[in-house]
Amino acid sequence: MNPKIRVAAEPYEFAFEPAKCALLIIDMQRDFLEPGGFGEMLGNNVSQLRRTIEPNQRLLTAWRKAGLQVIHTREGHRPDLTDLPPAKKIRGRGKTTIGDIGPMGRILIRGEDGHDIIPELYPLPSEPVIDKPGKGAFFATDLHAILQHRGIQQLVVTGVTTEVCVNTTVREANDRGYDCLVPADCVGSYFPEFQDMGLKMIKAQGGIFGWVSDSGKLLAALSPR
Ligand code: TIU
């Protein structure tokens, strides 16, 4: 039997079987993290998210080295916009919105430069990339099927943004029976107060949606392998 890896976390220790736990990296896309993308267009300061790149790189390298499963997601839409809800298109009353031309191609459109994952965390050909039209990674995607087929029951969820796509995905995963661990330094928000509350909401009430830890503790737990 595969021994469990034990990670110091809140509200209590997170124990996982390596073969049954995937690293799920949410939306580390140029549109959210680089100047000129969708995130900045919404009026946000992208530097708030860029601090997550290094810890994610360290975790991804260790996870790959240990031979564990990695799955990436990207938020975006078909070039013909048929999967873009009209409400999402007009939300925010911005001059330039999803599907319009931005500095990195059409904003949040699959195949455009801005939609792609940042080079620092680029997926290997063997790592599934889930293209999702919503904030949650389970809505209108085959993520649940892929996890089921691979026997995955637990997820380490990282990426951006903490209170939007990470929180939505953790809640969706929780309702589908998965355990989620969120390393705080590997998730980022444009707003410090949402970073704080987004993490508190996950671990409150005995871990109502999951566990919170950090990459250092996760790497320490992985390293004796
Ligand atoms: N705006 C914002 O905080 N987030 C998003 O629009 N998408 C994700 O979180 N990926």
Side-chain angles (χ1 to χ4, degrees), residues 183-194:
D185 55 334
C186 294
V187 296
S189 169
Y190 300 116
F191 310 97
E193 66 272 33
F194 292 166

Side-chain angles (χ1 to χ4, degrees), residues 58-184:
R58 283 195 292 274
L59 184 57
L60 179 59
T61 301
W63 207 261
R64 283 173 174 163
K65 213 165 142 194
L68 309 186
Q69 305 193 58
V70 180
I71 298 176
H72 305 257
T73 72
R74 297 184 294 204
E75 179 177 349
H77 297 275
R78 295 169 182 254
D80 65 5
L81 306 183
T82 47
D83 63 348
L84 175 63
K88 186 176 179 183
K89 170 76 178 162
I90 61 169
R91 185 78 47 80
R93 297 179 172 174
K95 254 204 226 115
T96 313
T97 60
I98 297 172
D100 296 341
I101 306 283
M104 291 187 282
R106 293 178 67 202
I107 292 156
L108 285 189
I109 298 300
R110 294 174 194 157
E112 301 288 338
D113 289 346
H115 172 264
D116 210 355
I117 292 173
I118 57 170
E120 295 92 330
L121 297 170
Y122 211 75
L124 296 177
S126 59
E127 295 168 353
V129 177
I130 307 289
D131 277 321
K132 62 188 190 60
K135 303 304 182 194
F138 289 84
F139 171 68
T141 72
D142 52 8
L143 176 60
H144 187 53
I146 290 172
L147 297 176
Q148 296 284 296
H149 300 159
R150 293 176 166 213
I152 294 167
Q153 296 168 351
Q154 295 178 301
L155 299 168
V156 171
V157 186
T158 74
V160 298
T161 63
T162 308
E163 78 281 14
V164 183
C165 293
V166 171
N167 238 280
T168 306
T169 297
V170 166
R171 288 164 190 240
E172 286 183 329
N174 181 68
D175 281 347
R176 286 164 177 79
Y178 299 96
D179 286 331
C180 293
L181 173 71
V182 179

